[in-house]
Amino acid sequence: MRALVILLFLTVVPFAFAEPNATPAIKDGDVVFELNLADPKTRAVVEASGGVVSNDGPGGEAVLCMSNTSRKPAIRVLLPVDVKPLRGSKLVISGVIQADGVEALDPESPLLHYQGLKMQLYVNSAASGKQYFDGLNLHGTFAARSESRLITVPEDATEGAINLGIEKASGTARFSRIQVRVVRAKQDRPTPTAWRGEAPQTKYRGVMSPQVFRKDDFDAMASWKINLVRWQMWQEWNDKRTYDDWLAAELDDLALALDAAASHGIKVVIDLHSPPERKAADGTMRMFLEQPLQDQFVRSWEKIARRFKGNKAIYGYDLINEPVQKTPSPPELCDWLALQVKAARAIRAIDSETPVIIETDNWDSPDTFRWLAPVDIPHVIYQAHMYWPHTYTHQGVKTNKDITVVPYPGTYADRPLDKEALRRYLQPVRDFQLAYQVPIYIGEFSAIRWAPGADRYLDDLISIFEEYGWDWSYHAFREWDGWSVEHAEQPRDRDKHPKATGPTERAKVLQKWFSRNAPKKAI
């Protein structure tokens, strides 16, 4: 049975136009779309299609009620959104929602995290395809409450819509105060130009660390001519120690790693891979939502800076690994970028020289660089991670069930997947680098060892990094065997770990590029 689809009129907040057909002047804080249930035409459309508009919301305001009493697969209201003026901007969709008995249609098939009550923004992108930004686990019965989701609009977005309703569930949902607001408008940045002065050249080529200190690992890295290691301090969530106790032990291990690295002329990125406390249900790092965790995070970096200030083996302080923020921070708290700036300033009060490394939202995605602006901190390196397309780099990572094997070169989203596609995906980072003349570091990139053509993928990526003068570290060295270049490329089986009998094709690629590192001396 087809889902009931209702098209509503959308109240659009007008913008000032400089001239006919000019791009609207989008600013941070602008409310760009708002559902107006008081509008008679909108009421008529809703009521004619089975929805109900009542005036029993907070303060007597209008509320949209939707009930799936006929047990349809989905019942929804679509609010068309012109996303073209919003390309490259970060938005938040927010509203007040209420659920009464929103439960799975089939008790034998529990609702997935994105099913049930829907308050969703859909965006279609020519390059990345359809993307859906949902609230998570919205089902059951609960009183009226505020919900919000953060969205980054792709630069090539072609269409968008807000979807309100119920999916794969029965029950009643109520919606009010639905709006879309600009959190960060696309940056009006300098036009990217050729590098002023001497162009940057890649100086550091390395790997991610194995998470635990072993002297033999540093001896092996030295034999590979590696000159950079991103040392990840990572905490298992079942670790019973307090965060401070865990960190103290990690810093003792880091001290050993710094000494071993210095003896081989290897620089070390200090990567605080685990933040205080695990993520919220939607993936947002909880420290973006809670003041005590923000305070603990800043204290942790002050502790690190005091202990290791002046250590010449340090490449930089890597503040937050792969920030993720889908829920806005409360007004009095720092978001993912402001918290890094706060920590960096705390570090600068202790250590004025060691570079700090800024990562971007959305798992440090290159896309986020489209609206990033430089931070007002001296000695900053900007980091990106590269796992695109994820369907290629991570194929079969979480399952041994049958999967669609994705080759490289190949196709993705009906377009060629090749070196030029990788270059296009990295273009926002390149534009940022040229616009502001800042150093770039690719902290993580990889392809699972059984991905067809992984050696070619890695070689194409590294050649781009080298062309642009970016330092880089491969993920990962002697960590999980799935990423290991010392393990055989085939077969695809995440539970088997065949050690290669000779250098793999992926290892040969890395070693070819490591050979470009200058001869090392003890630091």
Side-chain angles (χ1 to χ4, degrees):
M1 186 178 296
R2 290 184 176 271
L4 176 61
V5 178
I6 313 166
L7 290 179
L8 287 185
F9 295 96
L10 190 66
T11 298
V12 180
V13 179
F15 297 102
F17 286 80
E19 58 186 37
N21 301 320
T23 301
I26 305 294
K27 305 185 303 299
D28 291 359
D30 280 345
V31 175
V32 292
F33 297 104
E34 191 168 48
L35 173 65
N36 182 7
L37 291 173
D39 178 71
K41 293 181 180 179
T42 302
R43 277 180 176 260
V45 171
V46 171
E47 292 169 356
S49 59
V52 175
V53 177
S54 64
N55 293 316
D56 59 352
E61 69 183 272
V63 177
L64 169 62
C65 301
M66 302 192 69
S67 295
N68 192 12
T69 56
S70 57
R71 302 179 63 81
K72 298 176 183 293
I75 179 169
R76 61 172 63 95
V77 174
L78 294 180
L79 315 175
V81 177
D82 181 9
V83 293
K84 293 179 181 178
L86 305 171
R87 288 171 172 170
S89 296
K90 196 171 190 70
L91 314 176
V92 59
I93 177 175
S94 61
V96 176
I97 62 174
Q98 181 177 341
D100 184 7
V102 177
E103 304 292 352
L105 291 173
D106 180 2
E108 301 299 320
S109 300
L111 294 173
L112 300 176
H113 64 276
Y114 56 86
Q115 295 174 338
L117 186 151
K118 304 288 288 186
M119 188 184 77
Q120 176 194 82
L121 181 62
Y122 148 78
V123 177
N124 196 10
S125 158
S128 303
K130 297 177 180 179
Q131 301 177 49
Y132 302 91
F133 304 91
D134 285 280
L136 302 182
N137 300 311
L138 301 178
H139 53 81
T141 298
F142 53 82
R145 71 189 194 202
S146 297
E147 286 284 335
S148 57
R149 295 288 284 173
L150 290 165
I151 303 105
T152 299
V153 181
E155 191 71 22
D156 62 347
T158 56
E159 62 180 354
I162 295 172
N163 171 16
L164 305 175
I166 301 173
E167 179 184 0
K168 299 289 186 181
S170 58
T172 298
R174 291 160 59 89
F175 305 87
S176 60
R177 302 182 187 179
I178 304 298
Q179 66 172 216
V180 178
R181 177 172 53 85
V182 177
V183 177
R184 285 194 180 90
K186 180 181 177 181
Q187 290 295 309
D188 182 14
R189 61 174 48 151
T191 302
T193 60
W195 199 266
R196 296 187 294 272
E198 185 178 353
Q201 295 183 348
T202 303
K203 295 181 180 178
Y204 293 96
R205 304 167 178 92
V207 293
M208 289 281 290
S209 73
Q211 299 180 359
V212 62
F213 174 72
R214 295 183 294 257
K215 181 181 179 300
D216 290 349
D217 291 339
F218 281 88
D219 295 339
M221 285 188 276
S223 72
W224 285 28
K225 299 184 179 180
I226 288 168
N227 67 359
L228 180 68
V229 59
R230 183 167 178 251
W231 188 261
Q232 53 183 325
M233 296 184 289
W234 184 76
Q235 183 183 30
E236 294 276 4
W237 290 123
N238 60 3
D239 193 325
K240 301 301 182 182
R241 292 173 293 179
T242 67
Y243 188 80
D244 288 341
D245 288 344
W246 163 80
L247 181 60
E250 288 294 313
L251 297 187
D252 289 343
D253 216 34
L254 171 61
L256 298 174
L258 284 167
D259 288 345
S263 70
H264 289 297
I266 298 173
K267 287 277 192 174
V268 175
V269 176
I270 300 179
D271 164 28
L272 188 58
H273 213 74
S274 295
E277 192 53 70
R278 68 185 67 202
K279 294 176 181 177
D282 69 351
T284 298
M285 290 183 172
R286 295 181 65 91
M287 67 178 178
F288 303 145
L289 309 174
E290 300 179 27
Q291 185 69 61
L293 297 180
Q294 296 202 350
D295 294 341
Q296 187 174 34
F297 174 75
V298 174
R299 286 197 309 270
S300 296
W301 274 113
E302 289 174 330
K303 184 182 299 183
I304 295 169
R306 288 193 188 99
R307 180 163 178 178
F308 298 108
K309 172 186 176 181
N311 191 308
K312 299 302 183 183
I314 299 175
Y315 176 92
Y317 299 126
D318 188 351
L319 300 178
I320 301 177
N321 178 68
E322 297 186 346
V324 178
Q325 183 160 14
K326 299 179 180 180
T327 299
S329 300
E332 69 278 9
L333 297 186
C334 298
D335 68 3
W336 66 267
L337 183 58
L339 185 56
Q340 289 183 86
V341 171
K342 185 175 182 179
R345 287 179 176 153
I347 289 170
R348 283 288 169 262
I350 299 166
D351 181 345
S352 62
E353 297 298 326
T354 304
V356 294
I357 302 173
I358 297 291
E359 298 194 34
T360 64
D361 192 18
N362 195 29
W363 292 274
D364 203 20
S365 167
D367 281 344
T368 316
F369 279 77
R370 295 186 187 279
W371 50 261
L372 184 66
V375 298
D376 186 19
I377 301 290
H379 308 305
V380 170
I381 298 169
Y382 295 87
Q383 180 178 173
H385 290 181
M386 179 59 174
Y387 295 103
W388 183 87
H390 198 266
T391 52
Y392 174 74
T393 62
H394 284 64
Q395 56 187 294
V397 166
K398 294 185 177 180
T399 180
N400 266 336
K401 296 181 180 179
D402 292 338
I403 63 169
T404 301
V405 176
V406 181
Y408 181 90
T411 58
Y412 176 73
D414 298 323
R415 298 179 66 181
L417 175 58
D418 53 18
K419 182 176 179 178
E420 291 312 305
L422 303 180
R423 187 188 300 277
R424 285 192 298 271
Y425 188 76
L426 289 166
Q427 193 61 43
V429 184
R430 178 60 168 170
D431 289 345
F432 180 82
Q433 176 194 26
L434 292 177
Y436 298 112
Q437 310 286 280
V438 294
I440 300 295
Y441 165 52
I442 303 297
E444 291 188 31
F445 68 101
S446 197
I448 200 66
R449 61 178 169 83
W450 49 75
D455 57 323
R456 173 81 176 273
Y457 176 84
L458 297 177
D459 198 43
D460 283 351
L461 270 183
I462 295 172
S463 68
I464 296 172
F465 304 159
E466 296 275 334
E467 178 184 343
Y468 296 159
W470 298 348
D471 296 339
W472 51 266
S473 51
Y474 170 81
H475 181 84
F477 182 79
R478 297 182 179 176
E479 187 211 51
W480 179 48
D481 295 341
W483 306 115
S484 170
V485 297
E486 297 177 293
H487 286 71
E489 274 88 358
Q490 296 293 343
R492 183 198 67 79
D493 190 331
R494 72 180 308 275
D495 295 328
K496 293 182 180 179
H497 311 287
K499 195 74 178 286
T501 57
T504 65
E505 295 304 310
R506 292 168 298 125
K508 291 176 184 177
V509 168
L510 292 184
Q511 290 174 343
K512 177 186 77 172
W513 292 103
F514 292 148
S515 69
R516 292 192 173 196
N517 286 332
K520 297 184 291 296
K521 298 180 181 179
I523 297 173

